[in-house]
Amino acid sequence: MVSTVVLDLVERLGAVSVGTMVEVPLHPGEADTVAAWCARSGNELVSATEDRAVVRRGRPAMAAFADNLSPKQRPGARLWLYTNFDCNLACDYCCARSSPKAPRRAIGVDRMRRLVAEAADAGVREVFLTGGEPFLLPDLDVVVRSCVDRLPTTLLTNGMLFRGTRLDMLRRMPRDGFTLQISLDSATAELHDRHRGSGTWQRAVGGIGIARAEGFRVRVAATVAPHEADTDAQAAFHQKLDGMGIPREDQVVRPVAQRGFATDGLALTVDTLLPEVTVTADGVYWHPVGADHDDQLVTRDLFPLRTAIEEVQRRLTEYRRTVAVGAQRFPCA
Amino acid sequence: MTTRPLIVGAVAYTPNVVPIWEGIRDYFTDGPAQMDFVLYSNYGRQVEALLDGHIDIAWNTNLAWVRTVLRTDGACRALAMRDTDLTFSTVFVTRPGSGLRDITDLKGRRLALGSRDSAQAAILPVHFLREAGLGESDVDLLRIDSDLGKHGDTGRSELDAIRAVLDDKADVAALGVTTWEAIGRDQLMPGALEQFWQSPTYCHCNFTALDTVPAEHTDPWVEHLLAMDWNNPDHRHILELEGLRQWKRPHLAGYASLFEAVKQQEIAAQW
């Protein structure tokens, strides 16, 4: 019997507006034909099972979805690299469960160099290095150089270790194409120290001053729990940073994510979280807030990185499709 | 010179007609000639509205253009068309192994035609048969009149013609080349169909205005229409939906075969 599924598709899709989905019954072996027709005709195959296919009229959701994102937001534009997981602090909201007791789990210079090279070839435009506390690594300056040689790079740190050999290491880091992002949660010590440890606020403020004096671009990022968010406190925070010479575009306030050590904060899942591809020594993850959580694991294979990035993009498309299908099938009125 | 927007008529043969014309209207909003649009349920109603002056410009099929010319004794003009309208054609498809190799092989065979008001799937196929020396009595015609009034725009009757071939109710189906492309030619239904003949090219749709609408009103509109740019994402979205890459000036010689077919087949100028 000749398959007529293509005729059904042309007729059904032709009668609906762009964005509308139609369902066609399938006979064995017709799923490939539907996929081929969708690819050829510029329509989107939403799903195909043994006995039916769902097709949406118009271009695939990922293409349309990506068109509405800024270049920085597009999946695969930014790459996060967890240099290590051990830390000199044990912040009670740390999404990566880092602490002095955490095993190091470092990516290492060689893999880091290869990752960044592959990232640049795969269309990544910016790299972020985080931990743990990266300055615990003795070769961090080499790691930073290997990144900055290929892509603009930001290094996240608590800014507390700029002394002795680590200060020497900081001084060897490049100024161009490189930004230090130092954590500071509040304008005064109380809130910051409550979560990060006594005396940490003062040392972080000192670290900001050292980094600026050494000629680095410094971005300051606060992490604030929802129940502690306060507009007066936020205004005071910005005023404090203004006074330290940090431009407003380099003053960042972000919420605590309910991940890792945090018992409070934003609940984030892969289907509600725009991905930012994240690599640790253990694998590739959906987003840096989930880098120590299996639900956000994309693959254990770090290489080739392009494959992992494409998998993230594919999964995002799938999640968006699921949301759209659900929205279409379960209207609220 | 009037400041009234030009009113353009179009036939709503698919829900996508609404975003297409909203997009075109928006494109003209800041241009030298503003426009609005009115949608009709069929081409007969639209041509009547054009003749009555309810609309200034009609987005006409080739049959609607021919009928407008006949109704006005030629006191109308085509303003522009899609690039894809310049090279339209009809194809004849059959089951592989049917032994058909040319249009003349259709003698004594069954030909499934689309809607009788479809130029590409009914009127011109009969015309091409006559040109090949085959009268209507030489070929067993199976007419499938789906969506009358839409002049074959929906393509439904052509799909039904294909089904007739696959169901062995006909030996051959007459299709517009766009329908043949839409089903993936012979590549997505391997072993099911093959094209054995393709007609000379002819023109399909155009924007039609009566001569009572001064050229000084329509010229700026046409110039702005022709300036739509495939490389501009905002324009491209509209062009993709309407099925073209570029608007073109009309090529009236491309309607000669349809004028002749309408005359020979004594197709009425009025509905």
Side-chain angles (χ1 to χ4, degrees), chain A residues 118-131:
Chain A
E118 290 191 14
D121 291 342
V124 171
R125 300 156 66 113
E126 195 173 5
V127 168
F128 294 80
L129 299 173
T130 189

Side-chain angles (χ1 to χ4, degrees), chain A residues 86-87 89-90 97-104:
Chain A
D86 50 322
C87 188
L89 298 181
R97 293 188 270 247
S98 290
S99 76
K101 294 179 182 175
R104 170 146 293 183

